[in-house]
Amino acid sequence: DRFPGRQYRARWEEFVGKFGELKPEELDTPEAVQRLDTLTAQFEAFRHEVLLSNPLLDFRQVLFVKRSGPGNGLPANWQSNSQIRQKTFDDSIEILSLDNLDGETDTLFKPSEGLMVSDVDLHFDADRLMFSMMDANSRWQVWEINADGTGLRQITPSDPDDVDHYDSCYLPDGRIIFTSTACMIGVPCVYGNSHVTNTYICNADGTGIRQLTFDQEHNWSPCVMNSGRILYQRCEYADLPRSNS
């Protein structure tokens, strides 16, 4: 009942009639081609309007990562971000306005030195966001930035310098859930050279870190359910390193 379907159907039928009036054999003059181009542009604008009037689209901007780099930054399924050390990416966090018919975006954040950015999580208030990116020691950390591109800060500590923290999400009580290699576990089927992440929790300033899961294999992608519980993915070997058994 919130979708103006009758109005759009009437306009659709108008377009059907106008396109039907254009005979292919008559499109041999510049004037006729111009009429077709104009009508096509009008229809594309109409199509855009109809799609964006979906009542579920109660927002006007989309936040996303724009990436170009080795393997698109996708590690193998027995690996995780901690295996990615290259500084040859061309990444940025972008904002797309749904009202922009040309699809042009605004850059919210672009790192220097060819760093990869990933795991973007928007705060409940939409005034700030977290993401994963390597620090000066080439270790992954959780970072936060304001929605206007100001106030960049590193949340997780760089000490010790052999640990990676990433893949975070905000909690309703102000704390943060993230994954970390601080558990110091290696994936058995590759003889330990892929570092396992478990799930951790900390305060908004990075203090009070506490381990939540104690798994042999990776934890991934924590997120908050409407009930307040945490949903996450986990690799399961049933305590058996299968390739070496």
Side-chain angles (χ1 to χ4, degrees):
D1 58 347
R2 289 182 293 155
F3 184 75
R6 293 175 182 249
Q7 169 189 334
Y8 285 144
R9 177 170 291 278
R11 291 172 59 187
W12 160 268
E13 291 174 350
E14 289 182 15
F15 276 110
V16 171
K18 291 179 180 179
F19 276 111
E21 294 172 358
L22 297 173
K23 307 300 181 183
E25 62 273 12
E26 297 176 356
L27 295 177
D28 55 358
T29 65
E31 294 78 10
V33 172
Q34 180 61 44
R35 287 199 304 272
L36 177 60
D37 290 344
T38 300
L39 186 59
T40 301
Q42 292 173 347
F43 179 76
E44 285 299 314
F46 168 67
R47 184 172 69 93
H48 195 86
E49 177 187 345
V50 172
L51 290 173
L52 292 183
S53 65
N54 187 326
L56 297 180
L57 293 179
D58 57 351
F59 53 88
R60 307 315 296 171
Q61 292 179 309
V62 176
L63 185 70
F64 68 97
V65 171
K66 181 179 179 180
R67 173 173 300 148
S68 175
N72 287 327
L74 300 176
N77 66 337
W78 64 87
Q79 299 175 338
S80 195
N81 283 22
S82 59
Q83 300 296 116
I84 301 174
R85 301 294 177 191
Q86 299 97 324
K87 295 184 179 181
T88 54
F89 287 89
D90 184 18
D91 283 16
S92 60
I93 300 176
E94 302 284 327
I95 297 178
L96 169 67
S97 172
L98 296 182
D99 297 320
N100 189 329
L101 295 178
D102 297 326
E104 296 179 357
T105 63
D106 296 317
T107 300
L108 174 68
F109 173 74
K110 185 175 180 60
S112 59
E113 303 177 353
L115 295 177
M116 172 181 161
V117 294
S118 64
D119 312 319
V120 173
D121 186 68
L122 185 64
H123 191 269
F124 304 104
D125 296 332
D127 60 350
R128 58 193 183 276
L129 55 120
M130 290 189 298
F131 61 93
S132 306
M133 182 179 68
M134 286 193 293
D135 62 12
N137 298 322
S138 296
R139 288 292 176 178
W140 285 87
Q141 304 293 346
V142 176
W143 301 76
E144 186 179 60
I145 193 171
N146 295 328
D148 62 0
T150 64
L152 177 67
R153 71 183 184 98
Q154 180 179 325
I155 295 179
T156 49
S158 295
D159 180 24
D161 60 6
D162 58 349
V163 172
D164 294 281
H165 310 299
Y166 47 92
D167 203 3
S168 61
C169 75
Y170 291 104
L171 297 180
D173 66 1
R175 291 183 295 172
I176 293 166
I177 290 278
F178 64 97
T179 63
S180 174
T181 61
C183 55
M184 292 296 169
I185 300 174
V187 176
C189 72
V190 290
Y191 304 96
N193 64 18
S194 176
H195 298 167
V196 168
T197 60
N198 271 220
T199 304
Y200 290 73
I201 191 171
C202 71
N203 298 321
D205 60 359
T207 61
I209 294 179
R210 180 165 62 89
Q211 187 172 351
L212 295 182
T213 61
F214 298 82
D215 295 324
Q216 173 184 307
E217 303 302 336
H218 287 290
N219 293 169
W220 287 300
S221 308
C223 65
V224 182
M225 301 172 66
N226 289 338
S227 65
R229 293 182 297 170
I230 305 301
L231 184 73
Y232 67 98
Q233 300 181 71
R234 173 186 163 202
C235 182
E236 176 59 81
Y237 267 171
D239 299 319
L240 185 69
R242 60 187 178 196
S243 72
N244 301 337
S245 304

